[in-house]
Amino acid sequence: MTGKNGLGHYIDQFYRQIALLLLGFTLIEHADFMKFHGTKNYVATQDLMLSVNASITLQRPLLVKGEPGTGKTMLAEEVAQALNLPLLQWHIKSTTKAQQGLYEYDAVSRLRDSQLSDLDGGERVKNIHNYIVRGVLWQAFTSDQPVALLIDEIDKADIEFPNDLLREIDRMEFYCYETRELIRAKHRPLVFITSNNEKELPDAFLRRCFFHYIKFPDAATMQSIVDVHFPGLKKELLNAAMKTFFDVRNLPGLKKKPSTSELLDWLKLLLAEDIPLEALQTKDDKMAIPPLVGALLKNEQDVTLFEKLMFMQRHNR
């Protein structure tokens, strides 16, 4: 009797798996195999890993916000690599329209080809599919294997851009009117959406996402990040550079605070130029203008402010 029930149980499980596969829920069924645990090239905090895995389980896009240079774009690249998923990237500009992510109809090329139709009897012109330029979403939806999809810096586009993608992101399908076909996702892609907070996103769009804000790394996390990129860096130089970096970053009134990526660029320059440790330290342990400060401060207002503060400090004002 136990054996019979056991067999029935396995048969039920088999058909359940088939049904779920047909319904496109393979990602949830394989959630245990789709866990992100960080990579050797990317230092992910525990809450960030939890957010990535939550978006996988919920099958919702992961909306990642944070200061520029905190690793939002790199997160998608590293998760895709860790989960062995191809990564499709859509980098948004101020002129980008949502339709471009779906497809574009190249009417100009079709008109030109129609004028030259004598060359092949007009066979190419008759097939409208030859003039449909597939966008990133179309490619992701029709991929034969699950993919990761990065929609990078969505806040650069106009305010209607997120609203125009609501249905496609939510239902994972769209209609191509030129070819009269419904494009439905074979596999729900793992979607990452990044934003630098340049403008607010619509509530209806936010409701369809799982949200995570990447906080600026504390000193310990930052040191772990530096260790990944510069494993052989001398401890004395690292400590002095980290102190200088956080001193500069914590200056009041900066228009643009230096980011993680700018710290890494600065360290790369210090090593390339063989800057001595003494150049980063002062005898009285006061802040001084660091060498190659242009890697940290990126506009004249901040440089002027920094120089003024250093002048006041030297004269004890």
Side-chain angles (χ1 to χ4, degrees), residues 33-150:
F33 302 101
M34 296 285 286
K35 295 291 186 182
F36 176 63
H37 301 288
T39 69
K40 64 179 182 180
N41 297 321
Y42 190 90
V43 178
T45 58
Q46 187 64 31
D47 60 334
L48 178 55
M49 289 187 285
L50 285 173
S51 294
V52 172
N53 293 326
S55 72
I56 293 173
T57 301
L58 294 175
Q59 291 188 306
R60 292 189 180 276
L62 178 61
L63 173 61
V64 186
K65 290 187 178 183
E67 293 182 28
T70 51
K72 300 184 295 295
T73 301
M74 189 177 181
L75 172 65
E77 297 170 350
E78 292 297 319
V79 172
Q81 182 177 0
L83 301 181
N84 198 28
L85 297 174
L87 177 64
L88 300 179
Q89 302 189 39
W90 186 14
H91 298 283
I92 307 303
K93 302 178 181 179
S94 60
T95 57
T96 303
K97 301 300 181 184
Q99 183 64 36
Q100 294 172 314
L102 306 178
Y103 69 92
E104 291 183 281
Y105 171 49
D106 191 356
V108 174
S109 292
R110 195 179 193 191
L111 175 61
R112 183 195 61 219
D113 290 349
S114 68
Q115 296 170 343
L116 303 173
S117 58
D118 291 340
L119 297 179
D120 63 353
E123 291 302 319
R124 175 176 172 79
V125 177
K126 294 177 183 177
N127 187 352
I128 196 172
H129 288 86
N130 293 325
Y131 303 95
I132 299 296
V133 181
R134 298 184 177 188
V136 177
L137 286 176
W138 187 319
Q139 297 173 42
F141 286 5
T142 57
S143 173
D144 291 330
Q145 65 179 110
V147 301
L149 171 62
L150 169 63

Side-chain angles (χ1 to χ4, degrees), residues 180-301:
R180 295 182 175 85
E181 60 182 322
L182 179 66
I183 308 301
R184 182 179 287 120
K186 295 181 180 179
H187 307 280
R188 180 177 285 267
L190 178 57
V191 182
F192 294 87
I193 303 173
T194 70
S195 169
N196 290 326
N197 248 351
E198 291 184 7
K199 61 170 66 79
E200 292 296 324
L201 298 174
D203 290 344
F205 182 82
L206 296 175
R207 183 174 62 81
R208 290 164 167 81
C209 301
F210 189 91
F211 173 76
H212 183 83
Y213 184 85
I214 297 183
K215 299 177 183 178
F216 191 81
D218 57 25
T221 304
M222 185 66 81
Q223 184 164 339
S224 298
I225 294 172
V226 172
D227 288 342
V228 168
H229 293 271
F230 302 97
L233 191 62
K234 293 181 179 179
K235 186 176 180 180
E236 295 80 8
L237 179 60
L238 173 60
N239 291 339
M242 291 279 285
K243 181 182 183 304
T244 300
F245 172 77
F246 279 103
D247 284 347
V248 172
R249 180 175 168 82
N250 293 330
L251 284 174
L254 283 184
K255 185 176 181 180
K256 183 195 177 304
K257 296 183 177 183
S259 66
T260 305
S261 63
E262 287 159 334
L263 169 61
L264 298 177
D265 287 344
W266 185 53
L267 289 172
K268 183 177 181 180
L269 288 173
L270 293 179
L271 294 175
E273 298 296 329
D274 198 22
I275 302 296
L277 177 62
E278 294 74 24
L280 302 177
Q281 297 176 324
T282 57
K283 294 180 180 179
D284 54 6
D285 200 33
K286 290 184 178 181
M287 190 186 304
I289 298 177
L292 303 166
V293 70
L296 300 176
L297 300 177
K298 299 298 180 68
N299 61 65
E300 62 276 12
Q301 296 98 319

Side-chain angles (χ1 to χ4, degrees), residues 1 18 44 95 151:
M1 186 172 180
I18 295 298
T95 57
I151 303 176

Side-chain angles (χ1 to χ4, degrees), residues 12-22 26 29-30:
D12 289 341
Q13 288 285 54
F14 172 78
Y15 281 111
R16 181 171 179 269
Q17 292 284 346
I18 295 298
L20 288 169
L21 194 63
L22 292 174
T26 53
E29 281 298 293
H30 294 88

